[in-house]
């Protein structure tokens, strides 16, 4: 309830109390990561998402690691987001994040390619269109520019399909 009301500090306190033996533990770790991110604690959020990715390497979880890395100006952000794209190339938010990171680095052609992928999947995405225009004009971030456009953190945790596929593969003798 606190999470849904965007009361992230209080929600985080509750999510942190969930024990590893609880059936909703992984979801609570994910949501705790979202809370930490929303509070501006990107390093803690990244650590939580990395912990979760060891068990459930969902595209949304890997994306969130990359978004945290981007917020922390880590050189690993793009590679991490690209790993998320390998897992789910149909998600426009993942392509947007890759495009945004590349745009901030001044790699306009590569950024534009990802932003076009975003717009192919969601033609109404005004932020992607705005960044694509800036890429086409070779117009990167300006010093001290306060960007309203930000990386896109995934806030929905959906592990059921992953766990079902993992179970099928394991029952067929594959790791």
């Amino acid at each position: 309830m606190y999470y849904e009301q965007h009361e992230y500090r209080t929600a985080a306190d509750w999510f942190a109390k969930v024990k590893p033996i609880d059936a909703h533990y992984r979801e609570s770790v994910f949501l705790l990561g979202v809370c930490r991110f929303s509070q501006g604690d990107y390093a803690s959020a990244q650590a939580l998402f990395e912990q979760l990715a060891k068990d459930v390497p969902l595209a949304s979880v890997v994306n969130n690691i990359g978004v945290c890395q981007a917020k922390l100006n880590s050189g690993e952000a793009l590679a991490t987001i690209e790993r998320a794209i390998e897992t789910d190339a149909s998600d426009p938010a993942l392509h947007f994040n890759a495009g945004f990171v590349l745009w901030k680095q001044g790699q306009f052609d590569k950024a534009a390619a990802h932003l076009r992928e975003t717009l192919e999947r969601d033609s109404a995405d005004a932020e992607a269109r705005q960044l694509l225009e800036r890429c086409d004009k070779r117009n990167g971030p300006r010093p001290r520019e306060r960007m309203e456009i930000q990386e896109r953190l995934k806030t929905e945790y959906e592990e059921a399909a992953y766990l079902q596929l993992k179970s099928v593969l394991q029952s067929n003798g594959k790791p």
Side-chain angles (χ1 to χ4, degrees), residues 29-30 32-34 36 43-53 61:
V29 170
F30 181 86
L32 179 57
V34 173
R36 296 286 187 241
S44 292
Q46 179 180 337
L48 289 161
F49 294 130
E50 287 174 343
Q51 170 192 335
L52 183 59
V61 176

Side-chain angles (χ1 to χ4, degrees), residues 138-156:
R138 302 279 196 246
N139 185 357
R142 294 179 284 280
R144 293 187 293 277
E145 177 180 18
R146 188 173 168 276
M147 290 292 298
E148 291 191 23
I149 298 174
Q150 297 292 317
E151 297 89 346
R152 296 179 179 170
L153 190 77
K154 301 300 253 175
T155 59
E156 300 293 323

Side-chain angles (χ1 to χ4, degrees), residues 11-105:
D13 291 342
W14 284 102
F15 289 134
K17 293 178 183 183
V18 178
K19 305 286 185 224
I21 60 170
D22 189 285
H24 297 282
Y25 176 71
R26 288 187 298 268
E27 181 179 14
S28 71
V29 170
F30 181 86
L31 295 174
L32 179 57
V34 173
C35 289
R36 296 286 187 241
F37 182 92
S38 298
Q39 295 172 300
D41 187 353
Y42 307 124
S44 292
Q46 179 180 337
L48 289 161
F49 294 130
E50 287 174 343
Q51 170 192 335
L52 183 59
K54 291 176 185 173
D55 293 329
V56 188
L58 296 165
S60 58
V61 176
V62 176
N63 171 74
N64 288 2
I65 294 168
V67 169
C68 291
Q69 290 169 334
K71 290 290 191 185
L72 295 167
N73 296 313
S74 168
E76 299 175 49
L78 180 61
T80 302
I81 293 167
E82 287 176 339
R83 273 195 355 248
I85 291 171
E86 289 173 10
T87 304
D88 185 2
S90 68
D91 189 332
L94 307 182
H95 288 283
F96 178 87
N97 287 338
F100 188 71
V101 168
L102 287 161
W103 171 78
K104 287 193 319 185
Q105 295 174 353

